[in-house]
Amino acid sequence: MIIVVRPDATEDQIEHIKQKLQEHGLQAHVSKGTERTIIGAIGDERILRSVPVEAIPGVEAVHPILKPYKPASREFKQENTIIDLGGVAIGGRIIPVMAGPCAVENAELTLQVADEVKKAGAGCLRGGAFKPRTSPYSFQGLGEEGLQYLAEAGKRTGLPVVTEVMDPRDMDVIVKYADVVQIGTRNMQNFRLMKEVGNYDKPVLLKRGLSATIKEWLMSAEYVMSEGNHNVMLCERGIRTYETATRNTLDLSAVPVLKELTHLPVVVDPSHAVGRWDLVAPMAKAAVAAGADGLIIEVHPNPEEALSDGEQSLKPALFAQLMEELRPIAAAVGREI
Ligand code: PEP
Ligand code: MN
């Protein structure tokens, strides 16, 4: 940590700053320039996380050197983390595609979509049973009944299933049926939920908050990991900007940025990012080219009748076509779909 001292700081104040650092087991290295004085705090500066260094008289600014996240960081672990999603690996050469309806609507539809996406080469089946809808009057999901349909479809096709948890109280029932637990964008900073999910060993798909910075997002991953569950995937699903042509703005640069900062697998959800079925394919392709380790895509056989997110859902035939078109792009970046 580098502490910039105010130009008008007294010698007593500089001495006091040094003492404060020493009290916390750090050494203070004072460097007096012609214009300004800076103090380097030598040692593990994370000790100072809960110390309001800016409040010490004479301090103008504080610049941490270490990242605020630890197990999630690339410094902590150099090699990419590969997670077993229940027979399907993510984080390695193969890019699994998770596909399925936004919401589990009934048994028949879930089985039908599962068959179709499996045939097209998907690696996992997605589907929400607890839906975080913007309006309380919209379809809220089938709850445990939906989980049963999802698990049944997963079993029949051999696809691991991904589903969202909204409430820590639902974890026990969700882990009975699901292979991967999704944390939705609206809950990325629900820290009680993060901690609860961190107490289970199910892989976690952590979606980026609507307006979350990459640092905040990694801190949420850190919440899960600090409880012991290190099987976390980060999912970019578009962020809120001033643009209204698309539902959100897909921040594709987050993919290479995350690859530098963390060893955790990075997934891209083009469906929720663009909010329009006709834009899903180009952004899915761009995501693979940018280095995504996985994709999650909404598929519905009859989007105009879908109970949620029909406008961004691909029909199975279009999804199958997209899968074919993704293969050469994956090969071009040394990966496989
Ligand atoms: C979803 O995957 O259906 C969903 C609600 O996603 P998000 O949390 O990204 O909006
Ligand atoms: Mn959806």
Side-chain angles (χ1 to χ4, degrees), residues 68-221:
Y69 40 89
K70 201 171 179 179
S73 78
R74 187 66 91 176
E75 285 152 10
F76 182 79
K77 184 169 176 266
Q78 302 277 306
E79 66 278 10
N80 289 334
T81 286
I82 297 181
I83 303 176
D84 176 8
L85 305 179
V88 171
I90 189 163
R93 209 176 98 81
I94 296 178
I95 302 172
V97 179
M98 310 170 197
C102 176
V104 176
E105 298 178 10
N106 57 58
E108 195 195 344
L109 177 131
T110 312
L111 286 169
Q112 183 192 342
V113 179
D115 284 342
E116 301 263 21
V117 300
K118 165 82 180 181
K119 205 165 64 192
C124 299
L125 176 65
R126 64 144 289 149
F130 297 93
K131 293 303 302 175
R133 306 305 300 280
T134 303
S135 163
Y137 310 115
S138 302
F139 176 59
Q140 302 287 304
L142 296 179
E144 185 167 2
E145 184 189 349
L147 295 173
Q148 283 164 354
Y149 300 153
L150 196 63
E152 199 182 313
K155 212 177 200 174
R156 194 168 88 176
T157 51
L159 294 172
V161 301
V162 186
T163 201
E164 177 165 352
V165 60
M166 287 175 26
D167 188 321
R169 290 167 297 188
D170 296 328
M171 266 310 274
D172 282 335
V173 65
I174 288 175
V175 298
K176 256 177 38 196
Y177 299 99
D179 299 285
V180 179
V181 177
Q182 173 178 326
I183 293 176
T185 195
R186 292 156 191 85
N187 271 315
M188 190 208 81
Q189 285 189 315
N190 180 343
F191 299 121
R192 278 285 300 277
L193 183 61
M194 302 294 116
K195 286 190 164 203
E196 183 66 11
V197 166
N199 282 314
Y200 290 78
D201 60 3
K202 289 276 174 189
V204 179
L205 181 74
L206 178 60
K207 290 204 159 188
R208 182 180 187 172
L210 275 178
S211 301
T213 64
I214 288 176
K215 193 161 134 191
E216 287 163 341
W217 188 12
L218 285 168
M219 290 309 290
S220 287

Side-chain angles (χ1 to χ4, degrees), residues 102-103 126 131 247 272 298 308-309 312:
C102 176
R126 64 144 289 149
K131 293 303 302 175
R247 183 175 177 182
H272 290 87
E298 288 185 338
S308 73
D309 287 350
Q312 66 197 32

